[in-house]
Amino acid sequence: MTPDPIDRFSEDRRISRKTLLKAALVATAVPLFAGTGVALARDTGSTGVPLAPTPDCDDGDDPTHDQIEGPYFKPNSPLRTSLVTSGTPGVRLTVSGYVFGRACKPIPGVLLDFWQADTNGAYDMSGFGFRGHQFTDASGAFTLSTVVAGLYPGRTRHIHVKAQAPGSRILTTQLYFPNEPRNNTDSIFDPALLMNVRSVGSGKEGSLDFVLDVAQDPTDPTDPPTGPGGSWASGAVYRAGDRVTYGGVAYRCLQAHTALTGWEPPNVPALWERG
């Protein structure tokens, strides 16, 4: 997966959006669980009003400010929904939610690539600790098992993620934790990206819905077209190294998987590469 060079919001628009969202969240927090939290797309969309896409967010570090995934992103993360083992230190955190398009319809087969700091605030740059990608299921849902990200200089707690619907552009963003003191001093913190988080036993559960900039209307020209098939087939079982054709282009399988509609080779670079 390659970084998306397009930033849909100018700096002035980003600041204005954040200021307005902060005011709105303070004034109209929506009840969730046993307390209050940020409104989820699944609830907001039930009103029939089109959803606003999840905003992009960069890392804010001057040397890499134009690289919106930040200095710690690594491609080719493993396919997995859990980033922890029984011996992993840190406060356990489960993040779950759905991925919708602008019409509040769930999107299956969305590629979600997560990476974060460990409980001590360190990123694993030699391996793939606290890195992994997954795909939303048929209902557009995802679940990530991890730990609460640690703090490091200059940043509040956060989790990085890239999200890509089949045939669509990549959204690169970050997820934030509520009631963190550094949220007020982090220059790129965006309240629109706050998770709802509650304590469960000795761990925590977080909830957040993504809204991708997908029109979900077959008559809308902004929706991505579907390409012609080749030897690739939905439902087929592929092994690493298998080769297929799709749309007249040859691809090599990078990871073993069972193909699903929406996972055509051009749409999922984590599974297929040209050649």
Side-chain angles (χ1 to χ4, degrees):
M1 185 159 45
T2 57
D4 189 339
I6 302 173
D7 183 1
R8 291 177 292 131
F9 301 98
S10 68
E11 189 64 21
D12 289 340
R13 182 175 178 184
R14 187 190 301 275
I15 295 172
S16 175
R17 178 185 177 90
K18 288 173 66 174
T19 301
L20 292 174
L21 283 168
K22 283 182 179 179
L25 287 171
V26 170
T28 62
V30 175
L32 182 76
F33 303 129
T36 59
V38 181
L40 296 173
R42 70 195 80 160
D43 302 319
T44 307
S46 64
T47 63
V49 178
L51 299 174
T54 299
D56 281 324
C57 188
D58 63 34
D59 75 315
D61 294 335
D62 289 339
T64 57
H65 190 76
D66 58 343
Q67 298 176 4
I68 59 176
E69 77 271 9
Y72 303 119
F73 173 72
K74 290 178 62 176
N76 303 318
S77 67
L79 176 65
R80 58 187 178 188
T81 59
S82 177
L83 308 184
V84 296
T85 66
S86 59
T88 302
V91 177
R92 290 294 193 270
L93 170 69
T94 299
V95 180
S96 62
Y98 294 86
V99 179
F100 298 101
R102 296 201 306 265
C104 200
K105 298 177 183 177
I107 309 177
V110 173
L111 174 63
L112 296 171
D113 195 350
F114 295 96
W115 71 103
Q116 66 170 83
D118 63 17
T119 189
N120 298 314
Y123 285 85
D124 180 7
M125 298 305 295
S126 60
F128 288 93
F130 290 103
R131 301 173 185 274
H133 73 271
Q134 60 178 278
F135 296 88
T136 56
D137 65 17
S139 66
F142 71 92
T143 300
L144 176 72
S145 298
T146 183
V147 300
V148 174
L151 292 168
Y152 58 91
R155 292 304 316 276
T156 190
R157 296 186 199 277
H158 61 281
I159 298 174
H160 294 269
V161 59
K162 287 178 178 285
Q164 184 181 26
S168 297
R169 66 187 294 273
I170 298 170
L171 168 73
T172 302
T173 192
Q174 298 177 32
L175 310 183
Y176 294 102
F177 295 78
N179 304 317
E180 286 288 332
R182 290 196 190 180
N183 288 351
N184 298 322
T185 58
D186 191 317
S187 64
I188 65 166
F189 166 74
D190 192 334
L193 299 169
L194 277 169
M195 295 182 287
N196 291 290
V197 179
R198 66 169 179 170
S199 295
V200 179
S202 60
K204 294 182 180 294
E205 291 183 353
S207 182
L208 181 135
D209 294 340
F210 294 96
V211 179
L212 301 186
D213 197 7
V214 176
Q216 298 184 301
D217 181 349
T219 65
D220 192 322
T222 64
D223 266 352
T226 56
S231 63
W232 180 89
S234 179
V237 177
Y238 293 108
R239 299 169 299 177
D242 286 351
R243 297 182 181 275
V244 299
T245 58
Y246 185 86
V249 178
Y251 294 89
R252 185 176 69 87
C253 181
L254 298 176
Q255 299 188 54
H257 67 284
T258 300
L260 298 176
T261 300
W263 292 13
E264 293 83 356
N267 299 337
V268 281
L271 298 179
W272 297 97
E273 68 175 2
R274 286 176 174 249

